[in-house]
Amino acid sequence: MRHIAIVGSGPAGYYTAEAALKQWGENVHIDVFDALPVPYGLIRTGVAPDHQSIKAVARRFEKTALNENVRFVGNVKVGENVNIATLQDLYHAVVLATGAPHDRQLDIPGRDLANIFGSAAFVGWYNGHPEFADLAPDLSGKNAVVIGMGNVALDVARILAKSRAEFAGSDIVEHALTALDTSSLSSITILGRRGPHQVMMTPKELGELMHLDRASPRVDSADLPDVSTDALLEPGVRKSVTHLRSFASIPENMRGKKPVEIDFDLFASPVAFHPAKGSSASVGEVEVEETRIEADRAVGTGKKYCVPADLVVTCIGYRTSPIPDIPFDERAGRFANNEGRILPGLYCVGWARRGPSGTIGTNRPDGYSIADLIEQDMANKVIDTSDKAGRNGFDTFAAQHNLELVRFSDWQKIDEAEIAAARDGAPREKFVDIAEMIAARKA
Ligand code: NAP
């Protein structure tokens, strides 16, 4: 029997479990660990609550989770409740699928002012991640600034702009819905340090901005490069640029009909945050420097101006959490690895392997390639294949250390309770408190 431990139950974790089942069939036992008592990682707490079709992939992961050779082992913090060396003693291979849960820091003056958040915290807040449920962003100002030109910036801007009615059918948590309902924001500026041709936002997601009830997008046509140069772009980027062009051509009188403007401020690199007038604690402005593109990079022109900002969300990428003694690539913010191998018997997949890029589906080939690599390492005796204690050994360890494990059958009870608590039309109302999650499995 092969014993495999996967740390992280998000897309990278479950695609790896699926691949391991394909690889070894009846001859493998897989334990999928998670720090939370609930599975699915980014599907639950990262994917936007109004993108339910993307979350449907959880049904595929459930199929894997219900296979009797796979176990969900929730409420276990690897590195705290159990260390990697112990897992390596118990399992033939340990795969880190821990994602990239920390924000890349925007290290500019004023970054500690209140009401500036990283996207991990802000997205976690509206998605009910227990760590960020109490974030309480102040939405009483008029101006929000969202920094970054990727899909996370787009998610944040869209969520800030939507009306309560537009959240029907979403699983946004009640505390966020209530706060957004009373929001006074009328201007959401998306700051991009480069230009339209360097946009990381994907066309489908950008297109959604044209169909918001309360908000309309705006691009300054002076920021658009000559249309003939679009031909050189990769087709996806070209489609995104076409959306930006259409935002630039919305007539002023049409735009004014909606109370919220989503303004793309491009070629604008943030250089400092300044406090609000009359406050020393809370953000009031973002100072930016105009840029031009040189060799695909943003280069400051020296010309600066300020953008009003009562709320700031930085969406500039993520970093993996380092684990003591595990090789880490500080610059890239992920585990140091060679095609997914960190050390013999220790692997990484998904964002923990390649950094925060790609779609949910990108994790599938990642998971399959790691299963192949583990098989190769077993065949080449890079991994010792002699008997290991596996899941029984872990259960003994957990009992000795009084760990309160949450199984998949427990999650099914938590799931039922969340579905039962859903407001009208919503798929669920998430628990945002770990103790409440654990209590729900016993109810
Ligand atoms: P991303 O696509 O890498 O975008 C990050 C943005 O931050 C870039 O525009 C980058 O600009 C900017 N940035 C970085 N450092 C900056 C700085 N110091 N100052 C100003 N701007 C800075 O990352 P993401 O939006 O976090 O998304 C992560 C991944 O998840 C992506 O692959 C994304 O497509 C995916 N995702 C997908 C969906 C969806 O499919 N619906 C939703 C959410 C996320 P430069 O390009 O100039 O570096």
Side-chain angles (χ1 to χ4, degrees):
M1 181 65 72
R2 278 34 178 152
H3 296 287
I4 311 281
I6 298 172
V7 184
S9 70
Y14 270 116
Y15 275 127
T16 304
E18 178 187 305
L21 278 178
K22 280 254 161 63
Q23 183 79 245
W24 297 292
E26 287 299 298
N27 300 317
V28 67
H29 276 166
I30 303 156
D31 277 354
V32 181
F33 292 90
D34 206 292
L36 288 180
V38 292
Y40 306 142
L42 214 61
I43 300 294
R44 180 179 168 99
T45 59
V47 171
D50 57 343
H51 281 170
Q52 288 296 311
S53 58
I54 299 181
K55 291 183 188 241
V57 72
R59 285 202 284 277
R60 175 182 182 139
F61 300 150
E62 186 179 60
K63 226 173 121 200
T64 300
L66 288 170
N67 185 297
E68 61 186 24
N69 288 28
V70 178
R71 301 195 314 178
F72 172 70
V73 191
N75 203 32
V76 176
K77 291 193 173 72
V78 172
E80 197 176 310
N81 302 127
V82 59
N83 58 35
I84 297 286
T86 304
L87 292 181
Q88 287 194 281
D89 280 347
L90 296 171
Y91 300 85
H92 293 109
V94 176
V95 182
L96 304 178
T98 48
H102 297 299
D103 286 303
R104 278 192 57 218
Q105 294 298 318
L106 186 57
D107 201 7
I108 59 176
R111 62 163 191 221
D112 295 327
L113 288 167
N115 232 27
I116 300 175
F117 304 101
S119 52
F122 197 78
V123 171
W125 170 70
Y126 63 62
N127 266 330
H129 192 299
E131 198 179 331
F132 304 112
D134 296 331
L135 198 73
D138 179 355
L139 307 179
S140 65
K142 279 193 175 154
N143 303 294
V145 170
V146 179
I147 300 177
M149 283 279 283
N151 280 329
V152 173
L154 206 43
D155 280 350
V156 168
R158 189 184 66 254
I159 297 293
L160 284 173
K162 276 195 165 181
S163 64
R164 177 175 269 267
E166 288 172 289
F167 285 112
S170 83
D171 65 350
I172 189 166
V173 288
E174 189 59 45
H175 66 234
L177 190 56
T178 307
L180 289 165
D181 216 15
T182 56
S183 153
S184 306
L185 295 173
S186 57
S187 159
I188 301 165
T189 302
I190 298 180
L191 272 189
R193 66 176 168 182
R194 296 193 290 162
H197 278 188
Q198 290 77 30
V199 65
M200 304 290 280
M201 297 161 172
T202 42
K204 182 169 165 287
E205 283 67 24
L206 261 176
E208 289 177 61
L209 294 192
M210 286 299 264
H211 307 287
L212 298 176
D213 286 354
R214 301 169 58 232
S216 71
R218 181 182 171 279
V219 167
D220 184 345
S221 48
D223 284 339
L224 293 166
D226 191 89
V227 70
S228 63
T229 55
D230 290 3
L232 303 169
L233 298 170
E234 185 266 313
V237 181
R238 192 160 60 232
K239 277 191 194 152
S240 290
V241 173
T242 303
H243 281 300
L244 296 176
R245 289 189 186 284
S246 68
F247 300 166
S249 62
I250 303 173
E252 210 62 53
N253 60 342
M254 289 299 291
R255 233 187 331 261
K257 290 191 174 153
K258 296 193 179 175
V260 180
E261 182 164 89
I262 302 178
D263 186 17
F264 287 77
D265 194 349
L266 305 178
F267 302 105
S269 182
V271 292
F273 298 116
H274 299 298
K277 294 206 167 42
S279 156
S280 56
S282 220
V283 69
E285 286 179 338
V286 184
E287 184 178 344
V288 300
E289 180 175 9
E290 286 185 8
T291 65
R292 60 170 178 271
I293 305 297
E294 278 179 19
D296 217 30
R297 292 173 66 89
V299 177
T301 62
K303 199 170 161 200
K304 295 181 183 164
Y305 61 96
C306 285
V307 182
D310 307 299
L311 164 75
V312 174
V313 186
T314 63
C315 306
I316 61 165
Y318 298 103
R319 291 172 65 82
T320 295
S321 296
I323 300 179
D325 303 326
I326 307 303
F328 195 76
D329 180 340
E330 276 298 335
R331 200 190 49 80
R334 53 173 161 73
F335 295 112
N337 72 90
N338 182 6
E339 314 233 315
R341 189 193 293 106
I342 303 174
L343 297 166
L346 182 64
Y347 306 84
C348 54
V349 281
W351 284 9
R353 166 186 174 176
R354 58 174 206 278
S357 64
T359 61
I360 303 288
T362 315
N363 294 298
R364 187 176 178 275
D366 241 30
Y368 278 73
S369 74
I370 282 298
D372 285 344
L373 186 61
I374 296 172
E375 171 58 17
Q376 247 177 56
D377 281 357
M378 286 175 171
N380 294 335
K381 303 282 176 218
V382 175
I383 299 180
D384 173 15
T385 48
S386 57
D387 256 9
K388 293 260 186 182
R391 52 167 67 169
N392 294 337
F394 182 77
D395 287 349
T396 306
F397 173 91
Q400 283 163 353
H401 292 79
N402 294 320
L403 302 186
E404 183 160 22
L405 307 182
V406 174
R407 306 290 186 193
F408 201 77
S409 54
D410 297 322
W411 153 245
Q412 288 175 309
K413 288 191 194 135
I414 300 170
D415 189 28
E416 270 172 30
E418 289 189 341
I419 292 168
R423 59 186 172 271
D424 269 359
R428 68 180 61 246
E429 183 61 46
K430 290 177 198 161
F431 290 107
V432 300
D433 179 82
I434 288 180
E436 282 181 16
M437 291 173 186
I438 291 176
R441 73 177 173 152
K442 293 175 182 156

